[in-house]
DNA sequence: ACCCGGTTACTTGACATCATGAAATATTCA
DNA sequence: TGAATATTTCATGATGTCAAGTAACCGGGT
């Protein structure tokens, strides 16, 4: 409330919105890690398992989705494989490729993880349906989703 | 207020919004890490340095802000101290306490980091002022900021 | 005043995970 | 055959937790 009329460079309002987004990011992360920990998973393991719960993927594609090095994915898949949540399959079309796939148990854990993600309920509960629609459209536009 | 046609439990629209928020979170994180890397900092170092650029803090409070164990903060401050971006000072009021404070150079880096955070511009650039206002209000409400 | 036990602040050490990069191996493709 | 691709292994460093250790504060009770 200090500077009403001054035109700052990145502008006051934008800064506040960025700050709010920062808070949302922090909270989202916290709750995600927390939900993962309840299933004895790390954040990285939970993200990878969630991806695989939809469809099997080659290691290379996993690395692209997670934006990290393939050698890193090797380790994460190793740990999940040890626990029987993920398995490696050969790709019949290319013998260089290994497909990582969630096991039945892995899919079960992924579903349970998804359900325990409180973020889907609490923060959005305070918004009416119309407000959620507005928020959806604004977020879409922010992310450059073609309307 | 009521659900449209299908009465899913977490409801379709909410799921989409949560998903969009997930994308925002991913993008924010990516760009934050990228901006940090441009200054030869890791994400954790950048967050800690940003906190200290505002005011010196005891190690214990840093751990609370960063939501991690104090022993972890010791290491991060060690690395920043080695690079001359942070220093430890005694707390005159309590000799158990060590205050971590950004050096001049540390504050300079923190400022530069803040400036290079593209997230403040690009994604919000597509929104009109009115839309940004709406987004601010919705985010505030989501985060439970008392209106 | 004194000491004493409990608490707090920080560090250290051991250990697991995550992340990168370089090198090795196997396979595909032109 | 030779270049490119997919994966793994290894070395290294940062992050994170937990348990144990040291130093300092604090609030009695005598």
């Amino acid at each position: 409330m200090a500077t009403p009329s001054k035109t700052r460079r990145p502008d006051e309002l934008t800064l506040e919105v960025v700050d709010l987004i920062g808070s949302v990011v922090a909270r989202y992360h916290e709750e995600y890690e927390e939900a993962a920990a309840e299933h004895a998973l790390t954040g990285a393991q939970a993200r990878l398992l969630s991806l695989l719960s939809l469809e099997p993927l080659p290691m290379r594609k996993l690395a692209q989705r997670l934006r990290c090095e393939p050698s890193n994915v090797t380790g994460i898949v190793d740990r999940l494989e040890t626990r029987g949540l993920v398995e490696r399959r050969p790709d019949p079309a290319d013998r260089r490729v290994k497909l990582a796939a969630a096991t039945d148990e892995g899919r079960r854990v992924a579903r349970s993880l998804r359900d325990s993600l409180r973020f889907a309920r609490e923060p959005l509960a305070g918004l009416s349906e119309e407000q959620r629609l507005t928020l959806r459209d604004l977020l879409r536009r922010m992310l450059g989703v073609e309307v």
Side-chain angles (χ1 to χ4, degrees), chain A residues 17 21 24 119 124 127 131-147:
Chain A
V17 173
I21 292 175
V24 170
F119 200 83
L124 291 176
L127 271 57
Q131 286 172 330
R132 277 190 291 243
L133 270 169
T134 306
L135 181 56
R136 182 197 63 181
D137 293 340
L138 291 174
L139 291 176
R140 275 183 180 170
R141 199 177 304 264
M142 256 187 70
L143 289 165
V145 177
E146 64 284 359
V147 196

Side-chain angles (χ1 to χ4, degrees), chain A residues 87-120:
Chain A
E87 62 180 8
R88 284 174 166 93
R89 301 176 190 159
D91 181 342
D94 187 337
R95 278 182 303 173
R96 288 172 304 179
V97 173
K98 282 173 192 165
L99 293 171
T103 62
D104 290 340
E105 172 70 1
R107 271 186 297 274
R108 201 188 60 73
V109 170
R111 205 177 313 123
S112 167
L113 179 73
R114 191 156 196 77
D115 287 345
S116 68
L117 251 195
R118 293 174 193 72
F119 200 83

Side-chain angles (χ1 to χ4, degrees), chain A residues 27-98:
Chain A
R27 178 148 172 200
Y28 186 98
H29 241 84
E30 241 175 82
E31 303 200 358
Y32 195 89
E33 295 281 332
E34 196 178 311
E38 281 169 20
H39 295 78
L41 295 172
T42 64
Q45 290 167 4
R47 279 187 291 277
L48 193 151
L49 183 57
S50 294
L51 279 179
L52 292 188
S53 70
L54 304 175
E55 53 171 352
L57 288 172
M59 305 295 283
R60 168 189 120 261
K61 265 213 153 40
L62 270 174
Q64 288 169 353
R65 297 278 180 93
L66 298 172
R67 306 198 185 259
C68 66
E69 299 300 315
S71 59
N72 191 16
V73 175
T74 297
I76 302 176
V77 168
D78 280 350
R79 281 162 223 128
L80 290 171
E81 196 169 26
T82 300
R83 289 178 46 191
L85 302 178
V86 155
E87 62 180 8
R88 284 174 166 93
R89 301 176 190 159
D91 181 342
D94 187 337
R95 278 182 303 173
R96 288 172 304 179
V97 173
K98 282 173 192 165

